[in-house]
Structure formats: C-alpha cells, structure tokens
Amino acid sequence: MTDRKPEEADRVDAAGLQAFASRIVSDHARQELIFLCIGTDRSTGDSLGPWVGTLLEERGVPGVLGTLKDPCDANTLPRLARTLPDDAIVIAIDACLGRPESVGMFLARKGPLVPARSVNGSLGAVGTYSIAGVVNEISLKPYWTLQSTSLYRVMRMAEEIADAIASAVMGQDEQHFNPNAERTSSYE
C-alpha cells in the first residue's frame, strides 16, 4: 500500500489507532474478527504485519493470520484470502511507504487495503477495515527502501498496533507502550 491518496484514510498516531481499534471492537463481536497481518519475514520494512501477528498471538488475541513463523505474504495471501468466510470482519494490517511527514504514522480506515501496491504488485484488495503503517518514504526503488527500513521503527510500530488491538479486544488496561510519549529523532 502507498500513502498516495491520504484522503481515503485517517492518518493517526498510536492514540488514534487505539480509538480506531476500540470502535471496531465495539461494533462487532470479538469472535467475528480476523486480523490478517500481511507481509514477510524476509524484508525489514515489510515485516510489520508478521511482527504484529506474532505480538497479537503472544497477547492471546484470537483470530490472527500471519506471523513471523507463518507469514501471510505474496505467495500465501491469494490462497488464504479465498478461505476467509464471507461474513468475517477482516482487519488487514500491512506496511506501506508514504510521504515523509507520514513516516511513523498509521493509515486507518473502514475499507480494504491493496497489499504490494507500493512495489507495483497485483494482489487484490482485502479487509473490512485496514491499518497500514507508514514505515518509510516512498521512493523510486521501493524494494530497496523496504529492505533498508529501520528495524527499530518497524518493531516499535508493530508494538503500537498490537497494543492498541490487544487493549481493545482483550480489555487490557495496561499497555506495553506510552501513547503519549514523544517520538524521538531516532524514530525517524
């Protein structure tokens, strides 16, 4: 996914992501939710989804597809998407490249995302809701950009997504991050 049409999604920080996840959970039964965490463990920038999936599993969140151990990548996504129940509420989670001012933020929306768009892939749209983490700036060499993305940034963003979802789904009061903490220059 790319951040080329920001008007289609809300650009939010960790606190906004928490509110987004809470709205989804309040509108749907927990057992209806499927968290489709898209990406690969073979690319730093594209590992956001599998990191989120792994963290959600560790927090006991049900309905997770796509982890570091069993990624939902370009090879497995088409087959997996066909197996999703028609009435499932799918929250698609993926990394994306975007505008410099969006790096470190999240694009949250009711509606699907298109995986691999930033690398000119041809995977179909997926998700009832979507969360795209802007892990780096869009460039003329998107594969290289994803490969050279900061692992620290990806891991921190994965923690923020997983904490927001787990807090909403599991009703956790304690989180693993401080959504009011100021981001440092090393995060950029």
Side-chain angles (χ1 to χ4, degrees):
M1 183 172 171
T2 59
D3 181 18
R4 292 185 183 156
K5 297 182 181 179
E7 68 277 359
E8 293 180 5
D10 293 329
R11 186 172 50 159
V12 298
D13 59 6
L17 198 57
Q18 176 67 53
F20 180 71
S22 294
R23 281 193 308 270
I24 293 170
V25 171
S26 70
D27 289 346
H28 304 284
R30 291 180 189 175
Q31 61 272 20
E32 294 177 337
L33 302 177
I34 295 176
F35 298 94
L36 185 61
C37 303
I38 303 164
T40 181
D41 63 337
R42 296 173 183 249
S43 168
T44 304
D46 201 29
S47 67
L48 178 73
W51 272 111
V52 172
T54 298
L55 294 170
L56 290 175
E57 276 192 347
E58 289 175 356
R59 288 165 173 77
V61 174
V64 175
L65 299 173
T67 62
L68 290 170
K69 182 179 177 184
D70 191 16
C72 177
D73 57 21
N75 294 324
T76 60
L77 179 59
R79 176 188 49 78
L80 190 57
R82 288 190 302 271
T83 67
L84 296 173
D86 291 336
D87 60 345
I89 306 302
V90 177
I91 297 89
I93 302 163
D94 197 6
C96 77
L97 301 175
R99 299 174 303 176
E101 66 272 16
S102 296
V103 174
M105 301 294 285
F106 306 97
L107 304 176
R109 68 177 282 208
K110 181 174 182 177
L113 58 76
V114 180
R117 181 181 282 172
S118 63
V119 293
N120 298 317
S122 59
L123 299 173
V126 64
T128 312
Y129 297 91
S130 58
I131 299 170
V134 185
V135 297
N136 211 335
E137 293 180 36
I138 191 130
S139 72
L140 296 174
K141 296 181 178 183
Y143 284 107
W144 183 87
T145 301
L146 284 170
Q147 287 291 82
S148 63
T149 294
S150 164
L151 180 59
Y152 173 78
R153 179 183 302 133
V154 171
M155 291 176 67
R156 180 166 171 147
M157 292 176 73
E159 286 278 347
E160 290 173 339
I161 296 169
D163 284 343
I165 291 170
S167 177
V169 171
M170 306 300 286
Q172 296 174 349
D173 293 325
E174 192 168 322
Q175 298 177 338
H176 294 88
F177 73 100
N178 178 355
N180 298 318
E182 186 175 317
R183 295 185 186 204
T184 64
S185 59
S186 65
Y187 189 62
E188 296 176 10

